[in-house]
Amino acid sequence: MSSSPFFPRSCHQARVSIIGAGKVGSTLAQRVAEKNLADVVMLDVLEGMPQGLALDLMEARGVEGHDRQIIGTNDYDDTANSDIVVITAGRPRKPGMNRDDLIEINAKIVKTAAKEAVARSPEAILIVVTNPLDVMTYVAWEASQLPCRRVIGMAGVLDAARFKTFISMELGVSIQDIKAMVLGDHGQLMVPLPRYTTVDGIPLMELMDTQTIERIVERTRNGGTEIVELMKTGSAYFAPASSVSLMIEAILLDQSRIVPAAAYLQGEYGLRDLFIGVPCQLGCQGITQVLELELDEGERAAFQASAESVAQHLKQAKEILSGSTLG
Ligand SMILES: NC(=O)C1=CN([C@@H]2O[C@H](COP(=O)(O)OP(=O)(O)OC[C@H]3O[C@@H](n4cnc5c(N)ncnc54)[C@H](O)[C@@H]3O)[C@@H](O)[C@H]2O)C=CC1
Ligand SMILES: O=C([O-])CC(=O)C(=O)O
């Protein structure tokens, strides 16, 4: 077919595949397409559902005015040659549950999704969203057999966004002036770092008393739970989708941004062989650098406790996947 002047294509149209077209996946598809970052393929096990959502998003183009292609599918072949694969497939938690309660149900889903998607996009960068995040990122990495720096877990951008939100609400200042850092697992033991958090360069500790900071840190740790308890069915998806979209933008535009994300540690922070939230530099190769922050005694102990919890739950996931605890 001769190329038409009415349908220009750049020499490389970036393509993002999203495995799991539920709340987070479909909201992310909208963000990626409407920010004009990439064409999007949404895959789900439910027949017709990703196809219907994709058609709806295609029709929105008539108003939003972009030319991105959005495809819905149940077939992994349609995800081939993606630049980025995002895994959002799996169950969200219900009120009263911890994220770790999802290990059993989500480990097999994530393992299959990573294997099937990366087999068709061997050059892709893999971003994992499914909970429990740090453990599922490890499961996806092992299944995909990708180099570790091309597998990244999304949580820190979201946790830091929540920390920034609560600071901005407390001080009545624009969120644009706040920089916040959160380390550790995406769970009850996450480690928001007030010492590395600033408002237009002013250390947070000069603007708030210790008690107020402690209250905001606790609300940040409970950020996901607060929404689960309010919603009753399902969990947060607008801020999670925005957070993944920021990471996709950093990678596709090779922005060298520093964001907290779950990365594979190989001796950094004295830890090995696990994924956990640390400051990472993101570019077109994935994680180009893991930054090691100087931690004081309390911060180091909190990070260590967080890592121990991830290691313990990772062991549980490995046992489930090897079949040794299957009844
Ligand atoms: N890392 C983070 O910060 C966050 C993680 N999450 C997690 O993301 C996951 C998705 O959350 P939601 O989108 O709200 O859930 P959802 O239930 O709306 O969507 C999940 C989708 O996965 C699909 N799915 C299930 N098994 C599949 C398979 N084998 N292959 C392909 N698709 C499959 C389901 O049909 C469903 O459409 C949950 O595990 C949730 O806990 C959610 C928010 C933030
Ligand atoms: O709370 C949940 O289960 C979903 C999630 O990870 C979050 O919103 O932080």
Side-chain angles (χ1 to χ4, degrees):
M1 197 171 79
S2 65
S3 67
S4 157
F6 297 110
F7 296 98
R9 283 182 76 88
S10 62
C11 54
H12 178 71
Q13 293 277 74
R15 165 179 269 219
V16 171
S17 283
I18 301 169
I19 314 304
K23 292 282 180 42
V24 179
S26 58
T27 310
L28 175 63
Q30 181 184 15
R31 294 257 198 278
V32 170
E34 291 180 0
K35 283 170 92 177
N36 203 17
L37 291 174
D39 291 343
V40 179
V41 180
M42 271 188 293
L43 180 146
D44 205 281
V45 276
L46 298 180
E47 284 180 25
M49 176 263 219
Q51 291 86 345
L53 288 169
L55 181 58
D56 192 13
L57 282 170
M58 286 291 279
E59 290 166 1
R61 302 186 319 166
V63 182
E64 298 297 333
H66 65 85
D67 288 306
R68 289 297 175 179
Q69 299 295 317
I70 303 124
I71 297 168
T73 185
N74 308 112
D75 182 349
Y76 275 96
D77 285 348
D78 292 327
T79 69
N81 301 319
S82 296
D83 300 277
I84 297 180
V85 171
V86 184
I87 299 183
T88 59
R91 289 274 178 84
R93 61 181 165 148
K94 296 195 171 92
M97 289 172 79
N98 288 318
R99 294 179 181 88
D100 294 317
D101 296 333
L102 298 167
I103 292 179
E104 179 133 19
I105 187 121
N106 285 347
K108 287 176 221 150
I109 293 174
V110 167
K111 181 179 175 180
T112 307
K115 206 169 160 185
E116 294 294 331
V118 173
R120 286 147 178 100
S121 298
E123 301 304 320
I125 287 166
L126 186 56
I127 301 179
V128 180
V129 180
T130 307
N131 274 317
L133 186 276
D134 307 271
V135 171
M136 289 306 126
T137 308
Y138 192 106
V139 166
W141 169 60
E142 260 199 341
S144 71
Q145 300 193 356
L146 283 174
C148 61
R149 290 296 179 245
R150 281 178 29 213
V151 181
I152 315 167
M154 187 294 288
V157 175
L158 172 63
D159 297 329
R162 287 179 174 147
F163 195 20
K164 289 188 338 183
T165 301
F166 304 141
I167 293 168
S168 135
M169 285 158 62
E170 187 72 28
L171 293 175
V173 300
S174 167
I175 201 155
Q176 290 182 65
D177 293 327
I178 304 173
K179 295 278 177 203
M181 180 55 68
V182 179
L183 298 185
D185 72 304
H186 183 52
Q188 241 16 68
L189 296 177
M190 78 175 70
V191 189
L193 288 179
R195 246 173 20 97
Y196 284 97
T197 298
T198 58
V199 181
D200 197 28
I202 306 163
L204 184 64
M205 284 141 138
E206 289 184 19
L207 298 170
M208 277 184 198
D209 59 44
T210 314
Q211 270 184 333
T212 310
I213 293 178
E214 212 21 72
R215 176 166 46 78
I216 288 176
V217 161
E218 203 44 35
R219 190 168 180 195
T220 302
R221 284 201 189 100
N222 282 321
T225 307
E226 187 178 356
I227 291 176
V228 168
E229 301 293 336
L230 284 167
M231 283 174 59
K232 309 266 187 312
T233 54
S235 51
Y237 53 98
F238 291 121
S242 293
S243 304
V244 187
S245 156
L246 178 144
M247 291 169 71
I248 290 174
E249 186 168 2
I251 292 166
L252 291 178
L253 304 186
D254 199 17
Q255 289 174 328
S256 294
R257 290 204 63 180
I258 309 288
V259 299
Y264 186 70
L265 297 191
Q266 306 167 91
E268 300 91 343
Y269 295 90
L271 297 169
R272 282 191 184 280
D273 197 30
L274 84 172
F275 280 81
I276 192 163
V278 286
C280 299
Q281 186 170 23
L282 289 191
C284 64
Q285 303 296 320
I287 295 176
T288 48
Q289 197 187 166
V290 167
L291 284 84
E292 276 195 81
L293 301 177
E294 290 284 335
L295 301 180
D296 67 23
E297 210 175 308
E299 292 161 348
R300 204 168 326 112
F303 188 54
Q304 184 63 33
S306 178
E308 277 165 20
S309 162
V310 172
Q312 189 190 328
H313 289 108
L314 179 58
K315 192 162 167 269
Q316 191 186 337
K318 285 183 174 180
E319 282 168 4
I320 288 166
L321 289 172
S322 70
S324 59
T325 63
L326 291 179

